Amino acid sequence: MTTETSEEYAIDPPTAPQPGVSGGLLLVLLLASTLGMMAGAIVMPVLELIRNEFGISVTAVGFVATAHCALIAVTSPLVGRAIDRWGVRIPLGAGLVLYGAAGGAGLVTSSFPALIITRMLLGVGAAAVFSGTTVALLAAGSGARQDRIMGWRTAAVTASGVIWPMLAGLLGGISWHATFGIYLVGIPLGVATLLLMPNERKRLSGHTPLSAFDLLRRYPTLLGWNALMACIGLMMFSLVVFVPQRLAQIGIHEPVFSSLFMALLSLASSLIGLGYGRIRARAGFDAVLRTGVACWLGTFLLLGVSSHPVPIFAAAALFGIGYGLLLPAVTVLIGETPPASQRGQATSLSGTAAFVGQFFSSLIFGPVMGATSITAGYLLAAGIVTAIMIILLRSRIRDPRPKPAAVGR
């Protein structure tokens, strides 16, 4: 990590907070991190209920889980520039409040077009949540410490996949509207962010951030890492949108079992996230990325050839292992490629990439599955993952962070 990064506010775990920084801020950031990546997964258990109520197609209902991604893609670069110029506090705090209000609007929404509009407003808030929490947590440490924090973030994000979808499935048994009340948690988190986070606006007001185009031109390796981040979103949402339908095909119709699939995925990923710092201490980025992609290849092969619940749920755990390795590794590679002063823009591009992948998941896999079968769509996913593995095997991946100087004790 560069010297400039170390000058930003530091955040330690609640058990050992640094002077002047409460451990509560780290807790708020970790909780807020769960909201960005889970914005679509929260509604997964009730997608079939929504489709039946409005009488819409399989592809159309997928937009309930992915419509917010289009707005994230459009607004993320603007959020990134704002963070680089004025700091994290205001964009993140306001984004969390908007996230809670727009997501919670589904409690009273009674038409499909209105539901899609609120989902798009949710995307604006999610863009600020994704970039703001990523920048803040990347600034919390360097080297091995940064790896641990990114592992904690991944564990928090995916552990929420045990809580949010299970809660969503239970609420979906009452009404699909009730599920949307989960989003309201963004409002108190936004207020807590504004109260606890240091105000960096004065310190950064004279800084001129790079545009997204200039950043990519100056650091072309960001194109590759953002392409991989897009694939993470693409593959994740091929499960979020289509696994419930696959389970229905084999006779499993209850929303709680769709939640169980995501819970197994999240549990496996959380366990990997908690141990990610130790994994990185023993393995380079190349080994971590290749292992994660290999797990995904096994996932989609199982989903493409299996018709029994056991291998389908085993695929959930295998995907979670890969996700727990890939997400923190790619996040660090993106966040540390440019200097810390441009980190907001860099992470905003990763948000754009991730949610563009989520948005196009329905558009890519939906028509294929509609014309052939869901299993054929997952075999297509296995082919895409195979291509990623070939690229990684032919590439040399280095840690972009400078090696720390030896310090005597």
Side-chain angles (χ1 to χ4, degrees), residues 81-362:
R81 286 179 67 86
I83 290 173
D84 283 340
R85 184 178 292 275
W86 295 301
V88 179
R89 178 175 173 267
I90 297 299
L92 178 55
L96 282 164
V97 172
L98 176 59
Y99 179 102
L107 283 166
V108 296
T109 302
S110 58
S111 72
F112 185 68
L115 182 60
I116 294 300
I117 290 173
T118 63
R119 301 298 290 174
M120 295 176 76
L121 290 174
L122 173 74
V124 178
V129 172
F130 183 90
S131 295
T133 55
T134 303
V135 169
L137 291 171
L138 281 170
S142 60
R145 175 174 171 77
Q146 187 181 66
D147 287 330
R148 289 195 300 273
I149 292 172
M150 287 299 101
W152 297 339
R153 175 180 183 253
T154 299
V157 168
T158 53
S160 69
V162 178
I163 299 171
W164 298 143
M166 289 297 289
L167 179 58
L170 294 173
L171 291 174
I174 302 171
S175 165
W176 67 261
H177 289 281
T179 299
F180 288 81
I182 297 172
Y183 291 101
L184 294 175
V185 71
I187 296 176
L189 286 176
V191 174
T193 296
L194 294 172
L195 293 175
L196 295 175
M197 182 168 285
N199 190 348
E200 293 189 296
R201 181 170 183 172
K202 183 177 181 181
R203 184 178 70 78
L204 298 174
S205 59
H207 169 64
T208 302
L210 293 175
S211 67
F213 176 79
D214 288 337
L215 187 70
L216 292 173
R217 184 176 59 180
R218 185 172 297 184
Y219 306 101
T221 55
L222 285 174
L223 287 170
W225 300 133
N226 280 293
L228 186 52
M229 185 66 82
C231 288
I232 291 175
L234 180 74
M235 297 305 166
M236 171 63 84
F237 269 67
S238 74
L239 305 182
V240 169
V241 176
F242 298 108
V243 160
Q245 299 168 49
R246 180 58 184 150
L247 291 175
Q249 288 180 344
I250 62 174
I252 302 176
H253 299 278
E254 294 81 0
V256 69
F257 286 100
S258 297
S259 297
L260 179 60
F261 182 93
M262 290 302 298
L264 289 173
L265 185 159
S266 300
L267 178 60
S269 185
S270 294
L271 293 174
I272 295 297
L274 290 174
Y276 179 77
R278 292 188 294 273
I279 293 170
R280 274 286 296 120
R282 295 169 173 80
F285 278 111
D286 49 359
V288 169
L289 294 178
R290 291 165 187 168
T291 302
V293 171
C295 290
W296 281 12
L297 179 57
T299 296
F300 291 111
L301 288 175
L302 283 175
L303 292 173
V305 302
S306 301
S307 297
H308 191 276
V310 171
I312 288 177
F313 282 98
L318 195 57
F319 187 93
I321 294 171
Y323 188 85
L325 293 171
L326 290 169
L327 181 61
V330 176
T331 300
V332 170
L333 288 167
I334 290 173
E336 290 294 339
T337 293
S341 60
Q342 307 298 335
R343 186 176 281 156
Q345 189 67 274
T347 58
S348 74
L349 291 175
S350 72
T352 296
F355 290 100
V356 163
Q358 292 181 16
F359 179 79
F360 278 98
S361 185
S362 293

